[in-house]
Amino acid sequence: MNFKRYILTFLGLLISEVLLAQFSTSGFGTGTQSTNNFPQGKTTDKAKSPTGRAGVDDSTKVIYGPTSTKYFLEEDVFNNRKKLYTIDTTIGEGHNFNFVQRYRNMYQDLGNIGTAIRPIFFQAPEQIGTMLGYDAYTLYAFKPNQVRYFNTRSPFTNLVYVTGGNTQDLLQFEFSRNVDSLWNFSINLQRIVSNKQLVTSSTSTNKNALGHWDFMIHTNYQTKNRKYQLLAYANLSDHNSNDEGGVLPQGRSYDLILQQGNNAAILNNAATRDKFYNLHLYHEYVGYKAFQVYQVLDYQTRKVQFRDPDYIANWTNGFYPIAYDTLGKASRYTTDATVTGKMKLDSLYNESQYSIFEHKSGIKGFYKGFNYRLHLRQRFFGFTNPLYNYSISRNENFLGVWLNQYFKDSTRAFAELEYLLTGSDFKLNVEFQGKWLNIGGKAMSTSPTLVQQVTFNDGFRWDKNTTAFVTDRGISNNMQTYHAYASASPKFGKLTLRPSVDINLINSYIYYDTLAFVKQATEDIAIFRAGLGMDLRKGAFSTISQLYLTTTTGPDLIRIPKIFASTRLAFDLLYKKKLFIQTGLELHYKSNYYADAYMPAIQQFHLQDKQMINGYLQADAFADMRINRVRLFFKFANVAQGILGNGYYAAPGFLGMGRTFGFGLQWLLFD
């Protein structure tokens, strides 16, 4: 509580400083307006200090705007691309505050913002080596490739507030300012809250579904001669969720539940907490363009917990598939309710503690369009399951190379290879990026996660090292994935087409079965996906559409809808030369499929054969607006409910959000 009070107080002081700067005696309209309705920055906002470094002169009467505030990404510095981005002032995406829609409906959550989330289509692991394996909430946390490192000429603030209906609230705050022309300091804060959907009038439990905090401070610095550059951030992510387990059927069909209200949840007192601290640093020294030295450092501590005090009751009603009788090595499991007296009659509790230090050190450079990188990556990690009294410490060493060639026509080809020295993990990636054609392939062999190797609690147990007390062994064999893809973007006047094809071949696929126990496939699985996108703009009208057709061969372990379609129809309006408006309709459809269910006790999605997720055409009406430095939106979500159907399921047992009205505001402050 004291920490939250400190953060809120600190945030209030920062906002107060920015507001005072906004209403300074210099007035509002001392500069001219640009064609995009934002005042532009001038070049007279720097003052030379005695050290020769340009300082920020806040007393100079200058009107700042998006063109005077620029940022860059770590990936661009890493790849020797000297690219600066200006602040995006376009409209059209503000209403997609929900993370599912933010990622073009390519993810499945539990029907509420901030809930457990997974990709609809198969995705190979991003890294090789032994990872933790708890990923249901990591999409909501800040990531290194998303951090915007600024070079501001004035204090910059980006404030976003969204109330999405049914108590879905999102707050994002970003503040940045340069100490001088070489050093910047920034703060990011994100808060996500929402209420449970499955709460009856007689329920006395906590109605809060979740609360998610992200707090980050980051900085970037470079020396006057531009030889040395440093990027760093410290991040705290804290996710608290009151898990519901899905709707309680009470003898009704899932279709009938959609037609009736006052639906209760299976779990009433279960809760998850996923908290981590992360320190990240990238720095480089540029001796020559063709020879540079760089290093990436990461340190993280993480603690994942789950507790259900009604464990035995929820095992009896079938939500948990197995109950173990003791915590000793002679444990056995049973599904016979007559032996409950032998069980440990307390809550189901799961805990994992994880810490990792990683560095990637190497050399890189570029010469006449050719880029290269060589690196050594080392990971030192520890993992503890306190219930099992299990603890390991391990280190892994990787070697990697990355090669990239730019051609005169702006096309490029690159290849990368990384290999685990003490194991069989590897990653090979090659790609050609043309003006309108991309083609590539990726091959990976990845170790099972720590959760897939060892898990121990009253309901789920496996260990790859022993069979003394478990029926199902943990996984020790690597999974291999081979991915070939191609996409094109030919233009025909105002029309752009985006055909694509993806082929995935997976060997020794690791998954969670219908009991949420870890398994490994013995047969290969192949996934074929063909896509067609279309972008069209004609006058004030624009449309963006995407269609995917998918089929699989082999064992039915990866469930994907055969048809996936989304489209946006929009019109642009200008009211009295000041108010820009884009209004329209977004439609999304997925065909019937047995989507994976969610097991909160181990924070994993798993196979299920009980509920078919029926296809449903979701329609959202929206209006995005911009006037000067303020953008806002109004959104009427699921507007077709009651016309095209009574609703839909976002995941097995979890109803999708019903018809709701949302509102959001973004305020950009540049001085």
Side-chain angles (χ1 to χ4, degrees), residues 460-475:
F460 299 91
R461 297 182 185 179
W462 53 79
D463 185 343
K464 73 181 184 67
N465 298 311
T466 180
T467 57
F469 68 92
V470 290
T471 299
D472 296 85
R473 295 176 61 90
I475 305 301

Side-chain angles (χ1 to χ4, degrees), residues 433-475:
Q433 296 179 354
K435 290 184 177 180
W436 58 272
L437 175 66
N438 286 5
I439 186 169
K442 180 182 291 186
M444 296 184 70
S445 176
T446 54
S447 298
T449 66
L450 291 167
V451 177
Q452 292 167 346
Q453 293 181 35
V454 178
T455 290
F456 186 94
N457 57 55
D458 282 357
F460 299 91
R461 297 182 185 179
W462 53 79
D463 185 343
K464 73 181 184 67
N465 298 311
T466 180
T467 57
F469 68 92
V470 290
T471 299
D472 296 85
R473 295 176 61 90
I475 305 301

Side-chain angles (χ1 to χ4, degrees), residues 353-426:
Q353 300 172 13
Y354 179 71
S355 63
I356 179 172
F357 171 75
E358 177 176 306
H359 81 87
K360 180 161 68 173
S361 305
I363 60 174
K364 64 185 179 108
F366 66 95
Y367 180 73
K368 292 186 177 180
F370 176 73
N371 285 23
Y372 75 92
R373 283 201 309 266
L374 302 172
H375 74 255
L376 167 67
R377 183 163 68 98
Q378 291 184 296
R379 304 176 70 241
F380 304 88
F381 64 87
F383 174 74
T384 300
N385 183 319
L387 294 180
Y388 187 22
N389 196 23
Y390 177 88
S391 181
I392 62 170
S393 296
R394 191 183 303 168
N395 71 287
E396 296 176 331
N397 303 295
F398 307 82
L399 286 179
V401 58
W402 180 88
L403 304 173
N404 179 82
Q405 177 65 56
Y406 284 99
F407 301 98
K408 292 182 179 180
D409 59 353
S410 298
T411 61
R412 65 182 287 248
F414 75 88
E416 64 174 332
L417 171 66
E418 189 175 48
Y419 181 73
L420 175 63
L421 296 179
T422 54
S424 57
D425 288 34
F426 72 87

Side-chain angles (χ1 to χ4, degrees), residues 50 76 96 113 126 181 268 295 304 325 343 348 350 372 392 427 476 504 617 659 671:
D76 293 324
N96 286 326
I113 186 173
E126 295 182 358
S181 62
N268 291 314
Q295 187 177 59
V304 181
D325 56 358
M343 298 175 190
L348 186 151
N350 188 62
Y372 75 92
I392 62 170
K427 177 175 70 174
S476 58
N504 281 282
L617 181 61
R659 188 187 295 114
D671 50 20

Side-chain angles (χ1 to χ4, degrees), residues 511-572:
Y511 65 99
Y512 294 86
D513 64 13
T514 55
L515 299 181
F517 271 64
V518 69
K519 297 280 188 176
Q520 189 157 34
T522 57
E523 300 179 51
D524 292 350
I525 301 173
I527 305 172
F528 305 91
R529 187 181 77 184
L532 179 61
M534 182 187 72
D535 301 347
L536 174 64
R537 174 173 289 277
K538 188 173 183 180
F541 172 78
S542 63
T543 180
I544 301 174
S545 302
Q546 182 66 58
L547 171 68
Y548 289 115
L549 303 177
T550 306
T551 185
T552 62
T553 63
D556 186 24
L557 302 177
I558 303 177
R559 277 82 182 274
I560 302 172
K562 295 184 180 299
I563 302 174
F564 175 102
S566 295
T567 189
R568 176 195 293 179
L569 307 172
F571 291 89
D572 293 332

